[in-house]
Amino acid sequence: MNKRWLLRWFGLAALLFTGSRWLPVPEPYVPVYPANFGNRLNIPADNPLTKEGVLLGRMLFYEPLLSANNKVSCGSCHQQQRAFTDGKKFSTGIDSIPTERNSMSLANLLWVRHFFWDGRAESLEQQALTPLTALHEMGQPLDISAAKLRRSQRYAALFNAAFGNSNITGDQIIKALAQFERTLISANAPYDHYLAGKYQLSPAAERGMQLFMNAPDPGKKIRGANCAHCHGSPKLYMELFHNNGLDSLPLDPGREKLTGLAADRGRFRIPTLRNIALTAPYMHDGRFGTLEEVLDHYSEHIIQSPSLSPVLRNTSNDMNGTSLKLSRSEQKDIIAFLHLLTDSTFINNSQFSNPFN
Amino acid sequence: MKYTLLLFLATILLHSRTWAQSATISVTGEVTHPLQLSAADIAAMKKVTVQATDRDGKAHSYTGVPVADILQQAGVTMGAQLRGENMSKYLLVKSGDGYEVLFSLPELDAAFTDRVVILASQVDGQSLPEGKGPFRIVVPGEKKPARWIWEVTAMTVRFAKE
């Protein structure tokens, strides 16, 4: 009797074991981030983070088979050492025709609600579709990418582990990529340590931070650069679209192209300032090569136009000034502070690096 | 025949573009009558004038429609209905630049407060300045005008989730 029971138990255990091999259950991936980043995460209900999905996504992020000429991957224009940018004004993909806008840094996308410089995609899943398929970027329809991966020895088991089948579809490619990108969390810059009470600012960075945070009020003799109005918060961006006075008649209409509203002319997403010292050149068109040039723009050259951000109108350290009018040394102090936003562990994190190297 | 069809399509296209270019305010969520208010709709509503101090530290008079009236028109649970579970509803106001601010419903209801929060279209008898219009929320008596959200494009009423 006892023996029979034992055999039954053994049989059941064996069944469960093989069953679990046939129906793999991916393990949840729990993102780790500071409490001051908040919990307003942008994760679609049909694409929860799993360890297997993230691992697959990392491989796909660096997979050149996803491009028409087998030479370009997401990682070509989003290089980890440059906080996932490429150092170019405009990027080139499978041919020599440049993209229309500057490659954006990928950091803390878990919280972002509007992707691209004009905010036209509301999820990373939607976003990833463009660079993968756009003619001059990776230039390959998703079904061809999926077919190429099916022919590779590498991927069947990885897709099976992540999605419970090894069909390998375009939808799964997109989902895995989005999962990996959501894990690119940067929260270990000296500024983060300062916020946690564990870092002493240099006098220059301290002065720079005060200018960064304060709005100028020459009537009350308060000097400021008002950067925090749009780049405040521990994440160093806000989910806003502003025209920052680059042009009176912008070549690139920005968000206006999307909405048709005159108020949106020359409006672009507020980019994160995290790792900003690594992500030159700056602005949607990469027109500024250095942080000095960026500070010079805000200090001296804000161009008035009907859609100029109200935050930049008549915001100056001079009475009746139309640009910030910061002194040279104030600009240097702000740049000293901006360097404290560089997260060296983020750019060296082996979880984010090219697994094929 | 072909040309007529093309002309017809072009006309539709032109018209849809014109519509897209005029700003409206949507009122949606926990409402019985979702609204898409045009400037003309708002112009036709009853206006009040309130005194309030902007970031410049100076008092101005702002003219506009009480937000409560807009919510009433959309069938939001205001007045006698603002009790029980409806006390856990909020209004989220959105700007064309992406900014969002929140009000609880009693903050906007005359049964609870004498303060009248308005959707302003004028300041000191003039249209709102470029960049801040055509409609801006004004909250009299609030020390910091961070909830005076400009370029209002949407109002959404929801239940707080927990």
Side-chain angles (χ1 to χ4, degrees):
Chain A
M1 184 71 182
N2 271 348
K3 206 171 174 185
R4 222 158 76 196
W5 271 109
L6 203 67
L7 274 173
R8 277 186 191 169
W9 277 116
F10 183 73
L12 191 66
L15 198 72
L16 280 173
F17 179 68
T18 49
S20 71
R21 284 186 63 192
W22 290 114
L23 290 170
V25 180
E27 252 188 275
Y29 178 104
V30 182
V32 177
Y33 52 86
N36 61 9
F37 275 31
N39 299 302
R40 201 183 191 192
L41 309 181
N42 185 1
I43 305 178
D46 66 350
N47 194 21
L49 292 179
T50 66
K51 287 182 178 166
E52 293 79 358
V54 170
L55 176 71
L56 172 61
R58 179 180 166 204
M59 310 263 300
L60 296 176
F61 187 86
Y62 291 101
E63 179 53 81
L65 284 178
L66 299 183
S67 66
N69 65 0
N70 299 328
K71 287 181 183 162
V72 182
S73 73
C74 308
S76 306
C77 302
H78 298 287
Q79 303 160 11
Q80 187 181 10
Q81 283 303 306
R82 299 175 189 270
F84 296 99
T85 58
D86 63 358
K88 298 175 183 169
K89 270 190 175 184
F90 300 111
S91 311
T92 45
I94 54 167
D95 54 25
S96 56
I97 302 195
T99 52
E100 289 177 2
R101 292 181 184 140
N102 183 254
S103 166
M104 298 187 89
S105 172
L106 310 182
N108 302 333
L109 303 177
L110 186 56
W111 291 266
V112 171
R113 300 157 73 81
H114 301 92
F115 299 87
F116 291 120
W117 277 102
D118 58 11
R120 66 186 184 276
E122 292 186 354
S123 69
L124 276 168
E125 285 78 358
Q126 246 182 63
Q127 185 279 333
L129 195 60
T130 294
L132 286 169
T133 59
L135 210 56
H136 305 298
E137 296 191 48
M138 293 165 76
Q140 182 163 273
L142 282 182
D143 52 348
I144 296 185
S145 290
K148 276 161 111 177
L149 296 185
R150 279 194 291 269
R151 284 198 294 274
S152 154
Q153 297 295 311
R154 189 174 273 148
Y155 284 102
L158 290 165
F159 275 84
N160 193 33
F163 298 111
N165 65 65
S166 44
N167 298 344
I168 308 192
T169 64
D171 183 54
Q172 290 172 339
I173 294 174
I174 294 270
K175 281 183 170 160
L177 279 170
Q179 285 191 42
F180 170 64
E181 289 180 280
R182 292 195 174 99
T183 68
L184 301 175
I185 294 171
S186 170
N188 202 27
Y191 179 58
D192 297 299
H193 295 188
Y194 165 79
L195 290 178
K198 293 173 188 161
Y199 184 89
Q200 180 83 39
L201 297 174
S202 71
E206 169 78 44
R207 290 192 301 270
M209 187 179 74
Q210 292 307 325
L211 289 162
F212 185 95
M213 300 297 171
N214 291 335
D217 190 342
K220 291 184 186 159
K221 293 195 163 34
I222 297 173
R223 308 270 315 165
N226 207 21
C227 314
H229 195 103
C230 292
H231 299 285
S233 89
K235 297 199 294 288
L236 301 159
Y237 74 88
M238 291 187 194
E239 203 72 36
L240 297 174
F241 300 93
H242 281 215
N243 173 326
N244 62 343
L246 294 171
D247 305 291
S248 54
L249 276 172
L251 273 178
D252 183 339
R255 212 166 149 73
E256 185 194 15
K257 206 170 157 186
L258 206 72
T259 64
L261 293 169
D264 282 327
R265 182 162 304 161
R267 258 187 186 165
F268 293 95
R269 194 183 151 70
I270 307 288
T272 182
L273 295 191
R274 205 161 263 282
N275 301 302
I276 195 69
L278 303 174
T279 63
Y282 304 106
M283 305 296 150
H284 65 278
D285 54 6
R287 67 176 65 191
F288 299 133
T290 61
L291 288 174
E292 284 75 10
E293 285 175 48
V294 174
L295 266 290
D296 182 60
H297 164 72
Y298 286 111
S299 188
E300 307 296 330
H301 304 293
I302 294 292
I303 309 273
Q304 306 294 311
S305 73
S307 59
L308 174 64
S309 165
V311 181
L312 295 170
R313 283 169 195 261
N314 310 315
T315 301
S316 180
N317 289 288
D318 280 2
M319 281 288 191
N320 307 317
T322 55
S323 295
L324 282 174
K325 297 286 175 189
L326 298 159
S327 73
R328 284 276 165 226
S329 74
E330 284 173 328
Q331 294 181 39
K332 276 187 181 160
D333 289 343
I334 292 169
I335 291 172
F337 172 68
L338 293 178
H339 275 89
L340 299 186
L341 311 181
T342 299
D343 179 352
S344 57
T345 58
F346 177 70
I347 60 166
N348 291 310
N349 188 334
S350 59
Q351 302 287 309
F352 307 152
S353 64
N354 188 338
F356 302 115
N357 286 345
Chain B
M1 182 63 197
K2 246 185 187 170
Y3 280 113
T4 323
L5 192 70
L6 267 176
L7 203 69
F8 176 63
L9 284 174
T11 316
I12 289 181
L13 215 70
L14 272 173
H15 273 262
S16 59
R17 184 137 177 87
T18 319
W19 289 333
Q21 281 172 330
S22 54
T24 58
I25 299 178
S26 65
V27 186
T28 57
E30 298 286 343
V31 300
T32 54
H33 303 96
L35 304 175
Q36 192 73 44
L37 298 169
S38 66
D41 294 333
I42 294 166
M45 295 176 82
K46 196 187 84 194
K47 304 285 187 314
V48 296
T49 297
V50 298
Q51 303 296 316
T53 306
D54 198 356
R55 209 176 286 276
D56 62 5
K58 293 173 193 149
H60 298 278
S61 52
Y62 292 91
T63 304
V65 179
V67 172
D69 289 2
I70 296 173
L71 298 183
Q72 288 280 11
Q73 198 176 321
V76 177
T77 51
M78 301 290 277
Q81 291 172 289
L82 192 41
R83 58 206 301 246
E85 66 169 8
N86 295 332
M87 292 295 284
S88 64
K89 282 179 186 166
Y90 63 86
L91 168 72
L92 192 69
V93 186
K94 290 189 186 181
S95 162
D97 75 357
Y99 190 52
E100 298 170 316
V101 299
L102 182 145
F103 296 88
S104 70
L105 294 187
E107 285 185 278
L108 306 166
D109 194 315
F112 286 80
T113 174
D114 291 330
R115 178 170 82 173
V116 183
V117 176
I118 65 167
L119 179 73
S121 49
Q122 289 195 323
V123 54
D124 300 327
Q126 306 288 317
S127 294
L128 293 172
E130 236 168 28
K132 296 204 171 171
F135 302 105
R136 182 185 187 189
I137 295 284
V138 171
V139 190
E142 204 140 87
K143 284 185 184 172
K144 192 175 171 177
R147 290 205 292 182
W148 295 28
I149 182 170
W150 59 62
E151 204 189 324
V152 173
T153 56
M155 297 185 176
T156 315
V157 178
R158 299 238 182 264
F159 271 111
K161 272 186 185 162
E162 28 182 273

